[in-house]
Amino acid sequence: LLALCLASCLLAPGCWGAQGRFAYKLLHDLFANYSSALRPVEDTDRALNVTHQVTLSQIIDMDERNQVLTSYLWVRQAWLDAHLTWDEDAYDGIDSIRIPSSYVWRPDIILYNNADDRFGGSMETNVVLRSDGHIVWDSPAITKSSCKVDVSYFPFDGQRCRLTFGSWTYNGNQIDLRNRLDTGDLTDFVENVEWEVLGMPATRNVITYGCCSEPYPDVTYTLLLRRRASFYIFNLLLPCIMVSFLAPLGFYLPADSGEKVSLGVTVLLALTVFQLLVAESMPPSESVPLIGKYYIATMTMITASTALTIFIMNVHHCGPGARPVPPWARRLILHHMARLCCVYEVGESCKSPQRAPGGRAGRGDAGVLGESPEEGEVGAKAGGCPRDRCLCHHHGLLRNVGYIAGCFRRHRAAQRRTGEWKKVAKVMDRFFMWVFFLMVFLMSMLVLGKAA
């Protein structure tokens, strides 16, 4: 008999609309004498329990310069409305209805650290109202929250951004706000290309502000972010490292090429451009980013190398009137440092004077510049030149030959001094090249080590 009744009800016209009519009647009965302006509690001295849960859907943007995090959230709030209950049997077994959220009382829970100029709240979505008065309100929201950005280790940095939710007018004696879970929900999170989310722990805080004596509870979600550094490594760090390794090669260029100083200035300008790119995206704070420190150290090193290059070029281009190389410089630079840097001149072993057959080694290049023709005549006599077989007794010819020999010796001495200064400059070039190569390598390893 019961089966026949059910079958007839299903086949009868208008049977499907019975529950709809009950739903309209339920809605009319519930909100006939209901006001959404008052807190829905039977005892006004008791606090209303409100649970809060946040689901992180997407990180839209992290503005480091303005220190603003833009995120897409799904916010779920649940509470008990004592004035919106009904008997399911009286309304054809309806246990829940979905109505606009503006019909019911809603807690004024907002984001405390909101940084949006429009200060918009959640979307006006429906709420789920159950027969026992339990209300669940799910609403999506695009929030802009202030976040203290620490760029000390940029681009290998991590950030901790807090999202603090709380009631604006109801204190802890009126609304007891609690987090539903110990962490934010990340199951539906869309991966961000720049930031990796490590976690989103939730904590409940009760704070007494200076304006009021009552406690105000809030729920704070701490978003733990770590930057994906691959983009910055390939676009900012590696070009800087490669450009900085070009700076020591300026010492390897020949001094006569005229491009030693130009190379240093070009590298310095390139690093300045990279530093400006980093400075445009960083907040103007006292904390200098790690990559910025590397740029400054590299630019200081290149400035020093350019200044040393100018000094070494001045040494290289010492004219014939330059003073001889000091003995200490000859021992330290031309002997020890030249061997250390493997600097050898072509024909350097041929500089030693040749010995004349049957006599002492001639003074050659080491001869005294002020040697007079009379000394040459004495030397000729000491060499055993017979007066009846040579023209040494002709004083006029002897003076001319002595003058020519003196000019030749002075020219050889000037060439020797110039060659020694050029070798000093070459040894210094090689020495500083290896020193600056070592400095660039150590700075690069130091930056990568601090990043790790």
Side-chain angles (χ1 to χ4, degrees):
L1 183 60
L2 180 60
L4 291 174
C5 291
L6 289 175
S8 61
C9 181
L10 290 174
L11 295 175
C15 182
W16 289 99
Q19 193 172 15
R21 290 195 298 271
F22 279 110
Y24 276 104
K25 183 177 184 303
L26 173 62
L27 184 64
H28 180 268
D29 294 344
L30 285 177
F31 293 97
N33 297 316
Y34 180 81
S35 174
S36 61
L38 299 178
R39 189 167 54 97
V41 291
E42 295 290 347
D43 186 2
T44 56
D45 294 333
R46 297 183 60 182
L48 177 64
N49 295 325
V50 178
T51 60
H52 194 273
Q53 178 186 350
V54 163
T55 299
L56 180 63
S57 177
Q58 185 181 1
I59 295 176
I60 299 177
D61 182 40
M62 166 65 88
D63 189 356
E64 293 93 346
R65 189 169 185 84
N66 296 316
Q67 302 188 76
V68 174
L69 171 67
T70 305
S71 55
Y72 180 40
L73 306 176
W74 298 345
V75 182
R76 167 171 287 189
Q77 304 174 51
W79 65 93
L80 182 64
D81 194 322
H83 303 314
L84 297 178
T85 60
W86 70 88
D87 184 10
E88 298 180 10
D89 297 332
Y91 295 93
D92 197 26
I94 298 177
D95 60 348
S96 63
I97 57 175
R98 286 160 177 80
I99 56 177
S101 59
S102 58
Y103 284 17
V104 300
W105 175 90
R106 295 173 297 179
D108 58 343
I109 295 175
I110 64 172
L111 180 63
Y112 279 176
N113 56 334
N114 197 327
D116 194 355
D117 52 353
R118 297 177 298 176
F119 212 86
S122 303
M123 186 181 296
E124 294 291 335
T125 57
N126 292 339
V127 297
V128 179
L129 175 60
R130 302 189 183 278
S131 59
D132 57 354
H134 188 75
I135 298 178
V136 178
W137 182 25
D138 291 329
S139 61
I142 296 179
T143 62
K144 290 185 177 181
S145 58
S146 59
C147 177
K148 185 178 180 181
V149 178
D150 184 12
V151 293
S152 300
Y153 291 94
F154 175 85
F156 306 98
D157 58 328
Q159 305 298 334
R160 300 170 62 93
C161 295
R162 291 179 173 83
L163 301 171
T164 302
F165 293 89
S167 176
W168 189 252
T169 58
Y170 294 104
N171 56 48
N173 300 325
Q174 297 168 332
I175 287 183
D176 186 12
L177 181 63
R178 295 185 178 274
N179 50 303
R180 183 170 178 269
L181 300 174
D182 293 335
T183 180
D185 190 4
L186 300 175
T187 54
D188 297 318
F189 177 69
V190 179
E191 292 292 335
N192 189 268
V193 295
E194 184 179 0
W195 296 96
E196 178 185 0
V197 178
L198 303 180
M200 195 177 180
T203 56
R204 179 179 182 271
N205 306 304
V206 179
I207 302 176
T208 302
Y209 297 96
C211 64
C212 315
S213 59
E214 297 85 1
Y216 281 82
D218 64 67
V219 176
T220 300
Y221 298 89
T222 304
L223 190 59
L224 305 179
L225 302 175
R226 183 171 61 189
R227 191 188 302 271
R228 302 181 191 270
S230 302
F231 173 81
Y232 299 97
I233 289 176
F234 286 102
N235 291 276
L236 290 180
L237 190 57
L238 283 183
C240 175
I241 293 176
M242 290 188 290
V243 169
S244 61
F245 270 102
L246 286 178
L249 291 178
F251 292 106
Y252 193 74
L253 279 176
D256 298 330
S257 64
E259 298 293 334
K260 295 171 72 69
V261 179
S262 301
L263 178 62
V265 173
T266 304
V267 172
L268 189 62
L269 291 176
L271 289 178
T272 304
V273 172
F274 282 115
Q275 188 185 19
L276 290 177
L277 291 177
V278 174
E280 287 179 356
S281 59
M282 292 295 102
S285 61
E286 295 182 355
S287 59
V288 181
L290 182 63
I291 190 172
K293 295 178 181 178
Y294 179 69
Y295 284 165
I296 293 174
T298 306
M299 292 170 65
T300 304
M301 183 198 68
I302 294 175
T303 303
S305 67
T306 306
L308 285 173
T309 300
I310 295 174
F311 170 74
I312 293 173
M313 288 183 65
N314 190 21
V315 172
H316 176 82
H317 291 287
C318 285
R323 295 181 180 180
V325 178
W328 65 269
R330 183 177 287 108
R331 288 193 303 270
L332 177 63
I333 300 177
L334 296 182
H335 292 169
H336 301 292
M337 290 179 61
R339 293 178 181 177
L340 180 64
C341 300
C342 300
V343 178
Y344 299 103
E345 295 291 344
V346 178
E348 186 176 9
S349 60
C350 302
K351 286 187 176 181
S352 57
Q354 299 292 331
R355 291 183 177 270
R360 296 184 305 170
R363 300 180 69 171
D365 296 341
V368 180
L369 297 180
E371 184 177 358
S372 62
E374 288 77 11
E375 293 176 351
E377 183 180 359
V378 173
K381 291 180 180 179
C385 179
R387 298 180 63 86
D388 55 348
R389 294 185 182 180
C390 68
L391 301 177
C392 295
H393 58 282
H394 297 282
H395 297 287
L397 182 60
L398 184 61
R399 284 195 299 270
N400 293 334
V401 172
Y403 175 76
I404 295 173
C407 292
F408 181 73
R409 284 193 294 271
R410 286 193 295 272
H411 179 68
R412 289 291 300 273
Q415 283 186 337
R416 185 173 61 253
R417 288 196 300 272
T418 304
E420 286 182 346
W421 283 115
K422 287 184 178 181
K423 186 177 180 181
V424 167
K426 188 174 182 180
V427 172
M428 293 175 66
D429 268 336
R430 295 295 186 274
F431 176 74
F432 285 116
M433 182 187 71
W434 292 114
V435 168
F436 279 90
F437 264 129
L438 182 61
M439 290 176 61
V440 171
F441 178 77
L442 290 179
M443 282 193 302
S444 303
M445 291 298 103
L446 182 62
V447 169
L448 296 178
K450 291 189 69 175

